[in-house]
Amino acid sequence: MFDLDQLFQKSDLIPVIIQDAETKEVLMLGFTNKEAVELTLKTGTAWFWSRSRQKLWNKGETSGNFLHVVEMRTDCDTDTLLYQCRPDGPTCHTGARSCFFNEIPMNGKDDVP
């Protein structure tokens, strides 16, 4: 059994990357605390800590677009999580599939070998 306290040795909040379990597309980035991770493990849906509202939230609780977690991983430093999920619908609050749809042009990208 993994000791969740290992995740929160550096901070009470850590980032969690949400990835589509099938396509591997990155869908969103959120923040989580120990209680949210425990709820995710218990319910099988992704829970987060809302920094703006200062409360726990279950992604999909208002939209119906839940993120069903099929796998959880930690990074090599044990301070970031990756959830591979099956989304019920769009992940972004804008209605987009992913929150990462705004491209920033790279200056001189044609010059890169």
Side-chain angles (χ1 to χ4, degrees):
M1 181 78 175
F2 184 81
D3 179 9
L4 293 181
D5 290 332
Q6 291 179 44
L7 294 168
F8 301 99
Q9 290 179 357
K10 298 175 189 171
S11 176
D12 291 339
L13 283 181
I14 61 170
V16 55
I17 301 162
I18 304 301
Q19 183 180 44
D20 186 295
E22 186 177 321
T23 68
K24 306 305 182 207
E25 178 182 14
V26 174
L27 301 176
M28 69 172 275
L29 172 83
F31 288 86
T32 191
N33 62 13
K34 186 177 178 184
E35 185 178 5
V37 174
E38 289 169 339
L39 285 166
T40 299
L41 289 166
K42 179 179 177 182
T43 65
T45 59
W47 285 77
F48 302 91
W49 176 259
S50 171
R51 296 180 302 163
S52 59
R53 293 177 286 168
Q54 292 292 296
K55 69 176 201 165
L56 291 167
W57 63 285
N58 184 212
K59 175 70 175 124
E61 64 191 352
T62 56
S63 68
N65 296 328
F66 289 95
L67 295 168
H68 302 275
V69 181
V70 296
E71 187 173 302
M72 295 173 75
R73 293 178 179 251
T74 183
D75 71 334
C76 57
D77 294 325
T78 320
D79 61 5
T80 302
L81 287 170
L82 171 68
Y83 292 175
Q84 292 191 350
C85 300
R86 282 194 305 271
D88 280 340
T91 300
C92 186
H93 73 280
T94 66
R97 174 171 165 69
S98 167
C99 293
F100 294 96
F101 56 85
N102 292 311
E103 184 176 351
I104 298 174
M106 299 291 293
N107 292 336
K109 73 176 180 181
D110 294 336
D111 299 334
V112 177

